[in-house]
Amino acid sequence: MNSAAIDRILLHFFHELQSYFALAGRTVIRMFQRPFYYREFAIQFDKLGFASLFICSLTGLFSGMVMALQSLIQLKPFAATSYVGGMVAVTMIKELGPVLASLMVAGRVGSAITAELGTMVVTEQVDAMRVEGTDIIKRLAVPRLKAMLLALPLLTIVTDMISIVGGYIMSAGYGINPIMYVSGLPQFMVFQDLVEGIAKPAVFGAIIAVTGCYVGLGTKGGAEGVGAAAKKAVVLSSVLILVADFFIAKIFVVFRG
């Protein structure tokens, strides 16, 4: 690969990066400007939030059961199985709960946002809205961003709670009583862990919404382009979630000292 090809790749990459953050910035600014499209927000919250409740609950249940099973196997030789509740809670609330819930939602919601907006683009509905003088960012992107900022933290809380219940279901088979299981929670958890467990899904929700809107509004190529855009949005959202997870965790570690 010659230098000219590398230059083109880098130029394209930074152009896409600039466009992505420009869209994110305009969307955030317009969140606080009228009109607020309350009805559209409610529709998107229902489609993106409540509709994802089952898959997040299922993910939390089996993730908690697996975490408890693995913890019990490791702790049993040391007669420390009473700590399994705390280990499940701190792992799910700080790390696995936000990440797994966000990845599930990215697969379901990110592709839906992209496909919906991509279809509107290729069928020229977006162009028609622009001709009418409608602010596309405020009308299409802002309600979806608001919905994800509210829905994903709530979904993560549900995922965390069900994962703790799932962990107890598995622990009960090993003779762990409810009091012993719950008493281990404060031994591993601090308030900052709860803050981290809420901050992460808020950031991940913004990533899913902005990525879905960015890729969807940039769709080209008809029906085939919509499918390719949906796939691209899911992959890009998932990668950005994992990258952001590391940096957020690093920030909280620094603040903890």
Side-chain angles (χ1 to χ4, degrees), residues 182-237:
V182 173
S183 64
L185 303 184
Q187 299 182 38
F188 285 80
M189 298 288 298
V190 295
F191 180 73
Q192 185 175 320
D193 296 333
L194 301 177
V195 175
E196 183 176 353
I198 298 299
K200 282 184 176 181
V203 176
F204 298 160
I207 289 173
I208 294 170
V210 172
T211 303
C213 292
Y214 175 74
V215 178
L217 293 173
T219 302
K220 299 176 182 178
E224 184 178 351
V226 173
K231 178 176 66 176
K232 177 182 177 181
V234 173
V235 174
L236 183 58
S237 297

Side-chain angles (χ1 to χ4, degrees), residues 36-256:
F36 293 117
Y37 295 107
Y38 293 111
R39 182 174 181 274
E40 182 67 18
F41 164 75
I43 292 172
Q44 294 302 324
F45 183 78
D46 177 63
K47 290 169 59 178
L48 308 181
F50 283 111
S52 303
L53 191 59
F54 176 74
I55 187 65
C56 288
S57 299
L58 200 64
T59 300
L61 177 64
F62 285 99
S63 298
M65 293 174 71
V66 169
M67 280 300 305
L69 178 61
Q70 296 293 345
S71 299
L72 286 164
I73 293 173
Q74 299 298 323
L75 294 173
K76 193 173 182 180
F78 303 98
T81 53
S82 59
Y83 296 119
V84 66
M87 293 186 66
V88 171
V90 73
T91 304
M92 293 302 302
I93 291 175
K94 285 184 63 177
E95 191 61 41
L96 287 184
V99 172
L100 290 177
S102 300
L103 291 177
M104 292 297 105
V105 172
R108 184 190 175 280
V109 169
S111 59
I113 292 175
T114 305
E116 184 179 6
L117 297 183
T119 301
M120 294 177 67
V121 169
V122 300
T123 56
E124 300 181 350
Q125 295 179 53
V126 173
D127 293 334
M129 294 172 68
R130 287 197 176 101
V131 171
E132 293 173 353
T134 303
D135 188 334
I136 298 302
I137 302 299
K138 177 171 281 295
R139 180 68 176 80
L140 299 178
V142 169
R144 289 166 172 81
L145 176 58
K146 287 182 177 179
M148 287 305 301
L149 286 175
L150 179 61
L152 195 53
L154 294 176
L155 288 170
T156 302
I157 291 172
V158 172
T159 303
D160 293 339
M161 293 176 62
I162 293 180
S163 69
I164 293 174
V165 174
Y168 173 70
I169 292 173
M170 182 58 62
S171 302
Y174 285 77
I176 306 296
N177 61 57
I179 296 176
M180 186 185 301
Y181 185 81
V182 173
S183 64
L185 303 184
Q187 299 182 38
F188 285 80
M189 298 288 298
V190 295
F191 180 73
Q192 185 175 320
D193 296 333
L194 301 177
V195 175
E196 183 176 353
I198 298 299
K200 282 184 176 181
V203 176
F204 298 160
I207 289 173
I208 294 170
V210 172
T211 303
C213 292
Y214 175 74
V215 178
L217 293 173
T219 302
K220 299 176 182 178
E224 184 178 351
V226 173
K231 178 176 66 176
K232 177 182 177 181
V234 173
V235 174
L236 183 58
S237 297
S238 300
V239 172
L240 290 177
I241 285 170
L242 295 175
V243 173
D245 178 55
F246 167 76
F247 286 105
I248 296 172
K250 185 66 175 176
I251 290 171
F252 275 93
V253 168
V254 171
F255 278 121
R256 177 174 291 185

